[in-house]
Amino acid sequence: MTAPEKLLLEGPGSTSSGTPSGLSGQLAGLVALDFVLGFALLWDRYPLPVVAQPTGIAVVGLLILLGALRRPTHQLRHRGLMVALFAVMMVAVIVVTQLNALDWVQRSTKMVLLFVFALTIAVGRVHLRSLLAGLTVGLLANVGLFYAGLTSNAYPPYLTGFLGDKNVAGLMYAVVLVAGLALYRRWQSQLVHVVVLAVPLVLTGSRTSMAAAVAGLVWVLLRNRLPLLWRFALVGTLIWLLGVVERQFARMGLFADRGETDWFREQIRIATELKVANAPWYGEGLTTAWVLLGGTRFMWFHDSYAAMRIEGGWIMIAIMGVLILVLGLGLLQPGRVGQPLLFAEGAIVVVLVCAWQLGEVFFTTPAFLVLGMAWRLRWGVPLESPQNLPGDLVPERSGVSVA
């Protein structure tokens, strides 16, 4: 394990031998404000009073403001390309939205804030270790508060809590299950983390999120063992296996009573495919990822890929593909990577799988959090030597060999 990786996983409260110097030393590696804001992401979809907008956007805004008051710790290679691509995408989708006489302000503002949030993480203006630790603790607290009857219970008997929706909860628990592995150095601690987070993930009842977590962990286990071409084979195999599981095992055991729900989802899928097939190549604009069932019942898409296609056309799909698959997942990059980047990649796989069956995944806080984490690990160049960074979470260079 390299020195930057030790700095990430142990923080400044460690002895020179790599052994933590105690609880106080571990806590010294966290930044309180970043930890608190990470904890506050527990209310990501919870409506703010008066304005009735999700709390998560307010927290993201506070993190961006906090970052603006700090000096960056990293220079981000390809940042100009990232900004240019995202700007082209936003201009294109806003123009299409206006041509269709639809409101573009609220959704486009959210998308821009999420992108700036990812860049804020990528250049080191947010203490990512503290943010992830706070979010992990918040998700564990959500379990206790839910079963104590202190939160909403919108999908009994499934775990939702302050996240409000079982699939939203499933996405959040699955992403943190994989990305949160970067908080630990020892494999025993990482195993405990997986087991502990897997319990609430199963309790959400979100089959897609469970499958996504498994796919993310498979990526973590196999990615560094495979050359570049075989990684494409791994991606293809995962896609094939997910299809088999969906067709053959989706209604077994605990999910045997999902027949009616799955029938309804199938009607949404059919209507979605019909709408996408009739859409122009440039899409129909923001807020159009919905269908009417029976001519009256309004339903959002349950497929984030189709949502991108209908809102921003092939332009949005191509640009988000570059930002996520090429610059985030590093799908075209040969060589091995260090563990923290490996965990960030695994969390991106979680996002990609969840997007297959869930309607709003790509433009969410957890998706852009792990995207910013991956950008920082892959493309970040430290502005100071690692020894002088204040307990920074992320190792500074990509391509670090796994010890």
Side-chain angles (χ1 to χ4, degrees), residues 201-221:
L201 174 59
V202 172
L203 292 174
T204 67
S206 175
R207 293 168 295 180
T208 300
S209 300
M210 293 179 216
V214 172
L217 291 174
V218 169
W219 181 269
V220 167
L221 290 172

Side-chain angles (χ1 to χ4, degrees), residues 56 61 83 157 159 167 173 183 187 189 214 282-283 294 304 327 342 346 363 382:
V83 172
L159 169 64
N167 289 317
Y173 281 104
L183 294 170
W187 70 266
S189 300
V214 172
Y282 47 81
S304 291
L327 297 176
L342 188 61
F363 294 100

Side-chain angles (χ1 to χ4, degrees), residues 253-297:
L254 295 173
F255 310 113
D257 62 344
R258 296 285 187 91
E260 184 176 346
T261 300
D262 288 344
W263 176 87
F264 185 67
R265 291 177 67 92
E266 180 66 10
Q267 305 314 301
I268 298 174
R269 185 191 65 78
I270 293 170
T272 296
E273 289 183 353
L274 182 62
K275 184 169 183 177
V276 170
N278 292 315
W281 66 268
Y282 47 81
E284 296 185 351
L286 297 171
T287 72
T288 59
W290 55 268
V291 292
L292 290 178
L293 298 184
T296 58
R297 185 163 183 177

Side-chain angles (χ1 to χ4, degrees), residues 45-67:
R45 296 293 185 94
Y46 202 76
L48 282 167
V50 183
V51 295
Q53 294 301 312
T55 302
I57 291 300
V59 176
V60 164
L62 288 174
L63 284 164
I64 293 171
L65 178 61
L66 178 65

